[in-house]
Amino acid sequence: MGIKVAKFGGSSVADAIQIGKIKEITENDKDIKYVVVSAPGKRFDEDTKVTDLLYLCLSHRDHKLPYEQVFQAICERYIHMEQELGIDAGMARELAEIQKQLEQGASTDYVVSRGEYLNGKIIAKYMGMEFKDPADFVKFSDKGKFLEEETNEEIARALKDCEKAVIPGFYGSREDGSIKTFSRGGSDITGSIVARAVEADVYENWTDVSGFLVADPRIVDNPRPISSISYKELRELAYMGASVLHEEAIYPARVAGIPINIRNTNRPDDPGTMITSEPADLPEGQIISGIAGSKDFTSITIYSSHMIGQKGFIRRMAGILEDNDVTIEHIPSGIDTVSVIVNNSVIDGKLDDILDEFERQLKPDSLDVQTDLALIATVGAGMASRKGTSARLFTALAEADVNIKMIDQGASEMNIIVGVRSDDFEKAIRAIYKAFVS
Ligand code: ASP
């Protein structure tokens, strides 16, 4: 017997049918003690998440536009779920209270957190489990900083004598009692902090995919699933992981050494991906864990024959980017050159100013800008200390007629990042997959 915390994402709790599935999952595994839930997500492609509807109500209210119709759509979703599940979870009363608060100017955090709150009420009632409000134990400072250690103690205390509970994700409260939410997708964080506090054996994160795949299935046909991957490797694959699991959800489970299991509510028999502290054994003959990439990067290359003898050159370059609120992805360098690679979305509308400042402060011989760069990370703890891995990667890209514009390998030898033209992105990923996996 162990303790599991199971977090169910928006699509897993989008309607009565989905809630029926999560009840079955929970009943079939007696180790699942604590269930963390999101607000109802999309039921079909064109549908709108309840959290987005709540934000919409607020923007209407704040622009003095009528919001009753949007609020009505939210009410209907919850009332309908209650009816379909054949329970009375007090939705009519709860919704009336929220509407009253909305009218009286309630805060954004309070209003958007109600998506999770109401869903938690319904699910607790339907599953016959206790409802625990995270406002009582997920703590933020009055300035809105998440209070990690205090929360850890408070959760442990709140759940000590509670054998099974449903806990809404996404929010907690400030010292003054007002509601504060995490950033979007934050129910993943709630699941992880609950898992840490109750010293869970596993944190199951239930979603609508059966874990991670070695490569993007829109690019590679039928890629292999990743059955196990270490936290470190997953971080290196951040371009891939972000959409499945909130980045900040990894830390609490990781410090407590709790594995995170990504599971599929619609295919509960699939084992999913296990994220663990140590890298796991890969299938026979496979040395990489995953390939992930993204288009839309810009590289700015600075040529300066004086750079080598100058102190503080990189610091000044980074300072200019910092002043422009631009984060850096990579800084590959040569003897007389240094390039900085940034995401197009963060440099949008700022490039000319940044180049002017580079000219003025760094006095380079020349500057070169390329805006159509794609980055591809090939990641795997199995690559470390193995000779010939880079040769295999570069040969595969050469044979696929892909020109490599940049190379960056961390000294951990766990990843090789290449920059290619955006046009070559898909071709490059397929070539790497073929060389290492299939
Ligand atoms: N409902 C929130 C959102 O849509 C939080 C979550 O689902 O994790 O961002």
Side-chain angles (χ1 to χ4, degrees), residues 258-423:
I258 301 168
I260 305 177
N261 191 190
I262 309 289
R263 304 284 300 262
N264 187 346
T265 300
N266 304 318
R267 296 177 58 106
D269 293 333
D270 287 355
T273 299
M274 196 62 111
I275 311 168
T276 52
S277 303
E278 293 305 318
D281 292 338
L282 292 170
E284 182 65 26
Q286 189 181 314
I287 61 164
I288 66 159
S289 301
I291 309 161
S294 182
K295 291 183 183 177
D296 300 323
F297 290 95
T298 291
S299 77
I300 307 171
T301 301
I302 305 165
Y303 297 86
S304 169
S305 40
H306 310 296
M307 190 171 83
I308 196 86
Q310 273 189 50
K311 294 198 182 84
F313 191 89
I314 306 261
R315 181 178 48 73
R316 272 180 285 140
M317 178 193 82
I320 295 167
L321 293 167
E322 187 181 350
D323 291 345
N324 282 280
D325 203 20
V326 168
T327 46
I328 299 170
E329 297 282 332
H330 297 282
I331 311 183
S333 62
I335 298 291
D336 288 339
T337 64
V338 57
S339 304
V340 56
I341 297 180
V342 297
N343 199 304
N344 286 351
S345 62
V346 300
I347 206 165
D348 201 24
K350 302 176 180 169
L351 186 58
D352 288 343
D353 289 349
I354 289 171
L355 294 177
D356 285 350
E357 278 307 301
F358 277 5
E359 288 281 4
R360 205 174 63 77
Q361 293 191 39
L362 304 175
K363 306 200 174 18
D365 300 339
S366 62
L367 290 172
D368 179 45
V369 177
Q370 298 199 12
T371 51
D372 64 342
L373 198 66
L375 296 181
I376 301 171
T378 304
V379 175
M383 298 190 321
S385 6
R386 192 180 294 257
K387 297 185 189 87
T389 310
S390 330
R392 201 157 144 195
L393 180 83
F394 301 141
T395 306
L397 292 176
E399 282 173 359
D401 199 24
V402 172
N403 179 32
I404 303 172
K405 300 179 83 65
M406 179 217 97
I407 302 167
D408 197 352
Q409 180 183 16
S412 68
E413 295 184 67
M414 212 172 59
N415 66 347
I416 302 174
I417 295 170
V418 292
V420 301
R421 276 188 34 227
S422 286
D423 287 352

Side-chain angles (χ1 to χ4, degrees), residues 219-277:
I219 301 175
V220 171
D221 267 350
N222 216 359
R224 275 194 203 166
I226 300 180
S227 57
S228 184
I229 189 162
S230 66
Y231 292 118
K232 277 191 190 146
E233 290 170 292
L234 189 67
R235 286 290 302 140
E236 298 294 339
L237 288 171
Y239 302 130
M240 168 168 83
S243 58
V244 178
L245 187 68
H246 194 299
E247 272 196 20
E248 289 162 46
I250 294 187
Y251 178 76
R254 185 177 176 171
V255 288
I258 301 168
I260 305 177
N261 191 190
I262 309 289
R263 304 284 300 262
N264 187 346
T265 300
N266 304 318
R267 296 177 58 106
D269 293 333
D270 287 355
T273 299
M274 196 62 111
I275 311 168
T276 52
S277 303

Side-chain angles (χ1 to χ4, degrees), residues 148-208:
E148 211 175 292
E149 296 311 320
E150 194 178 324
T151 298
N152 194 45
E153 285 164 26
E154 293 270 340
I155 298 178
R157 196 170 316 131
L159 300 182
K160 191 161 63 73
D161 299 318
C162 170
E163 224 209 299
K164 294 203 166 205
V166 172
I167 305 159
F170 191 39
Y171 71 93
S173 66
R174 295 188 186 82
E175 280 152 347
D176 66 4
S178 61
I179 297 291
K180 167 87 183 88
T181 60
F182 289 111
S183 56
R184 293 299 305 267
S187 298
D188 283 343
I189 308 174
T190 311
S192 188
I193 59 181
V194 170
R196 176 183 170 205
V198 302
E199 297 176 8
D201 297 284
V202 182
Y203 168 29
E204 290 186 340
N205 191 292
W206 292 81
T207 171
D208 54 2

